[in-house]
Amino acid sequence: MQYTASHHSGDMLWTPRAIRIVSRPEIGRQMEEDRTLVEKAQQGDKTAFGELVRKHQRKVYAIALQMTGDHGEADDLAQEAFLRAFQALGSFDGRSEFPTWMYRIVVNLTINHIKRRGRNCAAEESDPRVVGAVAASVAQDDPAAALEQRRFYALLAKALDELPETLRTTVVLVSLQGLTHRVVAEILGCSEGTVSWRIHEARKQLRERLRGDLGSVRDGSSGGT
Amino acid sequence: MDERLRKRISDAVMSEGASVDDELSREIEADEEARAYLDDVRLLDRRLASWGHEEPPREYWRAFTKRLSGQLDTAEPASDTSFTEPVAPDQPGEGELPPEEPPEAPAEPPGEADVLGSLAALAGHSTVPPLGSFDDDRLASQVAEDDEDSGMIDLGALARAQAPSKDEDGGRRKVAGAAAPAGVTEKGEALSVPVQATAARAPAAGEKKNTGLYAVVAVLVVALLVVGYFAVKPPADEAATGDRPMLAEAPAATPAAPAIVEGERGADLGQGAEDQVAPATDVGDQAGASEDDVAGGAEAAPSKNGHAEPGRSGSHRDRADRHGDEPAPSPAQPAAPEAPPSSKTASVPVKSVLAAEGSGGGDLDDLLARATGAEARSTKTPAKREAAEEAVHAAVEEPTGDPGLPPQPSRSQVRRAMSSVAGQVMACKNLVESPTRVNASVNVASSGLVESATVSGGSPALQDCVERAVRRARFPAFSEPTFVVSYPFVLNPEQ
């Protein structure tokens, strides 16, 4: 299968900054919607907050799951994060977007949780992250490739868990969740340069831990994505 | 592998869709370890970006919100909201790379003894006697014994060939100028070394060949002196003797009156005798230029055709800095084809020399280029070329504040800028499984650089990849503070 990209200029839009939000169809609308919901929720509208939960619950849960490697813990942490957010909604001043603020809360809670319970250094093939990776992969209908992928992701999950806390968190947010460096910097309270450095450092350490396995994956191109 | 190279690779390959610029590509191509690192990082990124998880079923989310709703009913506003504060700020040491290795200090010009050592080693002799005790006969015979036709330099023979000038120089020099490269010791001396031998030897050879020639020369000299006396003008060959400084007269007034560069300037131009010859013709071209004119010439030395050529003085300063000298006040004059035994004796103030050359085109590179024809700028150092290129880029990219700028880029300019990154957006193809439409909202600063970009549609990893790609777009500068363009891309796996 060959992938190509095409770009369309027909519906290109450009506007001055003053009406930028109006002219940004998707992102702008989402942000505006979030702001409206937050304002309503701050005035006590629980339905509005429920709408915010529905919009962002998947991402919040995914962050917790990828950091903990456990469905139950991720569920609890996501619940607690939304509850805390609701309780602290009065202090939300809109300096950052609501999702950014929300991700920060769940990251903080998860880091504290991991510190309390100790690091999970025994990621196995039954790890939901590993199962999910194989299930989401196109290799699932190829037993040999699925097996190899399961083995690789188990090692990757273990290597990820062994990373220092800040590196692991940054990798989850940038590489797994695809958040921009700017947003991640805002979540973690560091500079974008530091985010970039942490990613670099994390790659180095992951590569060291997976050195032999990366080679075999590349050579065998097992379970290609 | 250099840590900085690793970091550059890491920065360039933030996701599979990111591309590596040409310069980095070349470095990676030349380094096997870097290639392996790049491959591993790409593989890691691909695996991380495609690391999905099983989405809980809809019932789960229904239960999730129901449970949460029950908790919200009893929730009280939090008194402590520290959990909303960021917890992973910059830590000491984060973001720091190992200190860059200092660039190699420019090698000291080899001393005469070093040169001899190198040459002797080349000839198969590991030790070289000190200059004062150089046993050329022994060395010559030994070299001859080793291999008469080895192609190696026979230092002894060279030394013997220098015997006449050795006598004339009072034994000051032990080897011929050919074996002692310019720039060997004192800067001024270095410059004159190769010509000293010529100056000293030429008359001696003439003597041997034809003593009658002396009579003719003597008559001519007398005639010139007489003519000069009556013309109240110093004899033309007087300058060549180095007996008086040239500054007293019109500096470097004639091409035939070679100027000798003294001291620092000699080092500055320490390129060997060949370098000094070509510019000498310019000396005459600019005869009569005043010192005031010279000062102006240093800032923007007019070329031969009268056009200003700014920046010349800078290039000289660069060269002086590389030699560890004080920056020269302005372009310097190349040395004469002939010089007395010690260049210090021909004390020509630099200023006068500059007067001759400063307005005559200054830059040695240009003078050499002029002498060699077409490759006018090829002698510029890479550093200078880079600086020039940077200046050009800066001129292009810096907002000029020119009120003549358009308020915003035109539609075609926007299309061009976005099309220029379409290939990089296309490189995000590995991140889609089916035709996917993403919309990039790009915030452009008045300089034409992308300030920020947000992408909607597709997976987070795809959005990230497209965002990185569109951030590389460059627009023409415009006058309004900012400008936002929303641009859709369709990644179609079916085509």
Side-chain angles (χ1 to χ4, degrees):
Chain A
M1 187 162 51
Q2 191 174 3
Y3 293 89
T4 57
S6 61
H7 56 278
H8 298 273
S9 56
D11 48 353
M12 174 173 37
L13 302 168
W14 58 90
T15 61
R17 183 185 282 273
I19 54 170
R20 179 174 47 161
I21 291 173
V22 177
S23 66
R24 285 182 165 185
E26 188 60 31
I27 296 287
R29 200 178 66 239
Q30 294 289 332
M31 288 178 176
E32 190 59 35
E33 195 177 284
D34 279 352
R35 286 183 199 129
T36 307
L37 290 170
V38 167
E39 279 176 19
K40 286 181 180 174
Q42 283 176 325
Q43 292 162 6
D45 186 342
K46 288 180 185 169
T47 311
F49 188 76
E51 188 60 32
L52 285 170
V53 172
R54 268 187 291 279
K55 281 182 72 177
H56 301 291
Q57 62 190 6
R58 283 174 173 77
K59 193 100 168 177
V60 168
Y61 171 84
I63 290 172
L65 176 64
Q66 283 164 336
M67 289 178 72
T68 59
D70 186 278
H71 274 305
E73 289 179 19
D75 179 82
D76 288 346
L77 287 164
Q79 284 274 331
E80 188 179 354
F82 281 113
L83 179 60
R84 297 280 193 105
F86 182 73
Q87 291 174 315
L89 208 52
S91 68
F92 177 71
D93 54 11
R95 274 182 298 178
S96 56
E97 297 299 331
F98 178 77
T100 307
W101 186 70
M102 201 59 237
Y103 301 155
R104 185 188 296 158
I105 293 173
V106 73
V107 163
N108 290 352
L109 293 175
T110 307
I111 288 174
N112 288 340
H113 171 76
I114 292 172
K115 279 179 182 169
R116 276 198 303 272
R117 71 129 153 89
R119 189 173 289 188
N120 175 18
C121 289
E124 297 168 350
E125 294 184 10
S126 60
D127 186 315
R129 293 172 295 177
V130 178
V131 174
V134 178
S137 162
V138 293
Q140 58 189 319
D141 53 354
D142 179 348
L147 186 66
E148 176 58 30
Q149 194 159 21
R150 186 186 297 269
R151 194 187 70 84
F152 178 79
Y153 274 108
L155 291 169
L156 185 55
K158 184 172 186 296
L160 185 67
D161 287 341
E162 288 172 354
L163 286 178
E165 172 191 296
T166 53
L167 300 188
R168 187 177 68 248
T169 308
T170 309
V171 168
V172 165
L173 295 175
V174 173
S175 302
L176 276 71
Q177 287 300 316
L179 299 178
T180 65
H181 287 202
R182 183 182 58 78
V183 169
V184 174
E186 217 174 318
I187 291 171
L188 301 178
C190 61
S191 68
E192 287 185 52
T194 297
V195 172
S196 167
W197 181 86
R198 285 175 184 169
I199 289 291
H200 163 61
E201 197 62 29
R203 281 173 171 159
K204 258 191 344 185
Q205 296 190 20
L206 288 174
R207 181 177 181 251
E208 279 302 308
R209 289 177 165 91
L210 299 169
R211 187 178 280 274
D213 300 289
L214 282 173
S216 64
V217 167
R218 200 170 40 237
D219 295 340
S221 60
S222 63
T225 54
Chain B
M1 185 174 58
D2 178 29
E3 178 63 13
R4 286 175 187 278
L5 180 56
R6 266 202 206 99
K7 178 70 163 63
R8 285 171 60 204
I9 291 172
S10 194
D11 287 345
V13 192
M14 274 301 166
S15 71
E16 182 60 26
S19 62
V20 178
D21 65 51
D22 290 345
E23 186 191 344
L24 185 55
S25 291
R26 281 193 293 274
E27 285 185 56
I28 293 169
E29 198 57 38
D31 188 337
E32 191 178 345
E33 202 179 338
R35 284 201 299 276
Y37 186 75
L38 176 64
D39 288 345
D40 286 351
V41 164
R42 279 188 163 152
L43 178 61
L44 259 177
D45 261 25
R46 198 162 54 236
R47 288 304 171 105
L48 288 169
S50 61
W51 193 351
H53 66 273
E54 277 184 302
E55 180 72 15
R58 188 171 295 177
E59 295 73 35
Y60 168 82
W61 293 117
R62 213 171 284 141
F64 182 91
T65 46
K66 192 175 176 185
R67 194 156 33 107
L68 181 62
S69 174
Q71 290 179 309
L72 295 182
D73 288 339
T74 57
E76 294 292 324
S79 53
D80 176 16
T81 57
S82 58
F83 55 86
T84 65
E85 300 299 321
V87 292
D90 295 328
Q91 302 295 321
E94 276 192 328
E96 290 178 9
L97 291 173
E100 197 168 9
E101 288 180 11
E104 284 185 17
E108 284 292 319
E112 195 166 5
D114 297 334
V115 173
L116 291 173
S118 303
L119 290 171
L122 187 68
H125 302 281
S126 57
T127 57
V128 176
L131 265 181
S133 62
F134 195 80
D135 187 348
D136 47 15
D137 290 334
R138 182 188 57 77
L139 181 58
S141 61
Q142 196 171 341
V143 170
E145 284 169 14
D146 288 347
D147 185 353
E148 287 190 355
D149 191 21
S150 64
M152 294 179 178
I153 298 170
D154 185 342
L155 295 177
L158 286 172
R160 281 193 299 279
Q162 280 299 103
S165 56
K166 176 179 169 180
D167 293 341
E168 288 167 16
D169 294 347
R172 193 187 63 84
R173 302 177 67 240
K174 290 287 181 180
V175 289
V184 286
T185 54
E186 288 294 320
K187 297 159 187 172
E189 291 174 354
L191 195 65
S192 59
V193 164
V195 262
Q196 285 171 355
T198 309
R201 276 203 305 269
E207 266 181 349
K208 287 177 186 174
K209 285 184 180 173
N210 188 358
T211 52
L213 185 60
Y214 280 125
V216 176
V217 171
V219 170
L220 286 173
V221 169
V222 170
L224 283 171
L225 285 172
V226 170
V227 170
Y229 176 78
F230 284 107
V232 196
K233 182 180 175 182
D237 60 348
E238 196 171 326
T241 65
D243 288 342
R244 65 176 181 80
M246 293 176 64
L247 185 60
E249 298 297 324
T254 68
I260 308 299
V261 179
E262 175 189 41
E264 289 173 320
R265 297 307 310 160
D268 195 25
L269 295 172
Q271 307 291 327
E274 298 83 359
D275 289 357
Q276 320 305 327
V277 176
T281 54
D282 280 1
V283 173
D285 294 344
Q286 301 302 324
S290 71
E291 289 184 12
D292 289 340
D293 292 337
V294 173
E299 290 302 314
S303 66
K304 262 187 166 177
N305 60 12
H307 295 304
E309 296 181 10
R312 288 287 176 78
S313 56
S315 66
H316 278 273
R317 196 164 293 124
D318 290 346
R319 197 178 301 125
D321 290 345
R322 282 200 302 278
H323 284 84
D325 295 334
E326 289 292 321
S330 59
Q333 166 64 18
E338 289 189 2
S342 169
S343 64
K344 299 283 187 187
T345 59
S347 175
V348 181
V350 172
K351 231 178 176 181
S352 70
V353 176
L354 300 180
E357 197 243 303
S359 55
D363 195 316
L364 182 59
D365 290 337
D366 286 351
L367 294 169
L368 286 168
R370 239 179 277 155
T372 55
E375 296 180 354
R377 285 283 156 193
S378 64
T379 53
K380 292 287 184 194
T381 63
K384 278 196 270 183
R385 270 200 302 275
E386 281 173 19
E389 285 168 6
E390 280 172 13
V392 170
H393 286 305
V396 171
E397 291 185 359
E398 284 294 315
T400 60
D402 185 353
L405 286 174
Q408 292 181 350
S410 69
R411 184 178 285 263
S412 62
Q413 286 171 330
V414 170
R415 189 174 297 130
R416 207 173 303 130
M418 295 304 288
S419 297
S420 71
V421 296
Q424 292 167 55
V425 172
M426 184 165 59
C428 302
K429 62 188 179 185
N430 290 356
L431 303 174
V432 298
E433 297 290 340
S434 57
T436 305
R437 180 191 174 96
V438 294
N439 193 64
S441 291
V442 183
N443 196 1
V444 188
S446 59
S447 63
L449 299 174
V450 174
E451 264 184 355
S452 63
T454 52
V455 178
S456 59
S459 67
L462 176 65
Q463 290 175 4
D464 190 40
C465 177
V466 173
E467 186 194 320
R468 288 181 208 290
V470 297
R471 275 175 178 271
R472 294 164 185 252
R474 293 290 178 271
F475 296 79
F478 52 93
S479 59
E480 287 192 357
T482 188
F483 166 80
V484 178
V485 58
S486 179
Y487 204 92
F489 292 93
V490 176
L491 289 128
N492 188 353
E494 302 303 328
Q495 292 177 355

